[in-house]
Amino acid sequence: MTLTAKEMKEAEKAAFERGISYLQMMENAGRQAFELLLSRRPDIKTAAVFCGSGGCGGDALVLARLLKQKGAEVLIILCCGKPRHQDAVTNFYLAASLDIPMVVGSLLTQEDIDFIRSADAVIDGIYGTGFHGELGLEQEVCCGVINSSNGLKLALDIPSGLECDSGIAAQGTVNANLTVAFHAFKPCHEKAPEICGEIILADIGI
């Protein structure tokens, strides 16, 4: 099954109306990504998690929390400022309560970049299905740091910089090794598989 960005929103809305909260969907997405990551890196010790301000960033914050609870050393990079999505804000504070280090994308130090490049895994949760057009300067820099990393590059739903429906890639788009597609494949997964890497479908309870 393949869904456009609009159809995915409609599927989430229908699930919400059946009694599944958006917060639970976010938790399910982050946990599915966590389980997939562990299947590929069972002994993961270090991870850099790049978060946007929307729902995709919230999924990434769930994943960061689960990695921290597993005992991994985690760095969260906020690429679009503080989360604005209500449920992402909830997960932001849950991550903060675990004392996970956080840094703003525009303020990355050389020490931060060295950690990211050497991390066992780098998570791309900057943009999801809502992205279109060009990456902002801060986001393009963050995507470049992701692309320069040596660890497994895992994209949540869609690599940041790739348009969901058209499959058009902006300059600086993340080139993932592995993409976890939530609930359904998206048109870009078929149109730009070389950017997505291996694509795995995950059930998030919708």
Side-chain angles (χ1 to χ4, degrees):
M1 177 173 63
T2 300
L3 296 181
T4 64
K6 180 180 178 181
E7 290 167 341
M8 185 65 189
K9 283 189 176 181
E10 291 171 349
E12 291 172 340
K13 181 181 178 182
F16 177 76
E17 291 172 347
R18 292 196 305 272
I20 304 172
S21 70
Y22 287 106
L23 183 63
Q24 186 61 57
M25 288 182 238
M26 185 174 287
E27 183 72 21
N28 294 346
R31 190 167 294 276
Q32 287 294 314
F34 172 70
E35 295 295 340
L36 176 59
L37 180 56
L38 286 192
S39 74
R40 304 306 169 87
R41 293 290 186 274
D43 299 322
I44 187 169
K45 293 181 174 60
T46 55
V49 182
F50 287 75
C51 304
S53 60
C56 189
D59 300 339
L61 287 164
V62 172
L63 176 53
R65 167 167 44 89
L66 295 172
L67 284 167
K68 175 69 173 181
Q69 290 172 333
K70 184 185 183 298
E73 182 181 358
V74 181
L75 175 66
I76 291 173
I77 302 93
L78 301 172
C79 306
C80 305
K82 182 180 174 180
R84 294 190 293 270
H85 186 289
Q86 178 180 348
D87 298 318
V89 170
T90 297
N91 280 296
F92 171 82
Y93 285 114
L94 287 173
S97 72
L98 296 177
D99 294 326
I100 302 175
M102 299 186 187
V103 62
V104 175
S106 61
L107 300 176
L108 287 171
T109 66
Q110 188 59 52
E111 182 179 0
D112 296 327
I113 293 172
D114 290 343
F115 176 85
I116 295 163
R117 287 177 173 165
S118 65
D120 296 328
V122 179
I123 313 305
D124 167 25
I126 305 174
Y127 289 118
T129 57
F131 174 83
H132 63 275
E134 298 298 324
L135 290 164
L137 177 59
E138 181 179 11
Q139 294 74 44
E140 186 172 345
V141 169
C142 287
C143 289
V145 175
I146 293 173
N147 286 333
S148 72
S149 64
N150 296 311
L152 176 68
K153 291 179 274 291
L154 170 62
L156 303 186
D157 210 17
I158 297 172
S160 293
L162 187 62
E163 291 188 358
C164 176
D165 295 351
S166 70
I168 296 173
Q171 181 175 326
T173 294
V174 168
N175 286 285
N177 304 125
L178 179 63
T179 296
V180 53
F182 296 134
H183 178 63
F185 295 110
K186 313 304 184 300
C188 63
H189 296 142
E190 298 177 356
K191 295 177 179 179
E194 72 284 356
I195 292 174
C196 301
E198 183 182 3
I199 306 166
I200 303 294
L201 186 64
D203 177 11
I204 61 171
I206 294 181

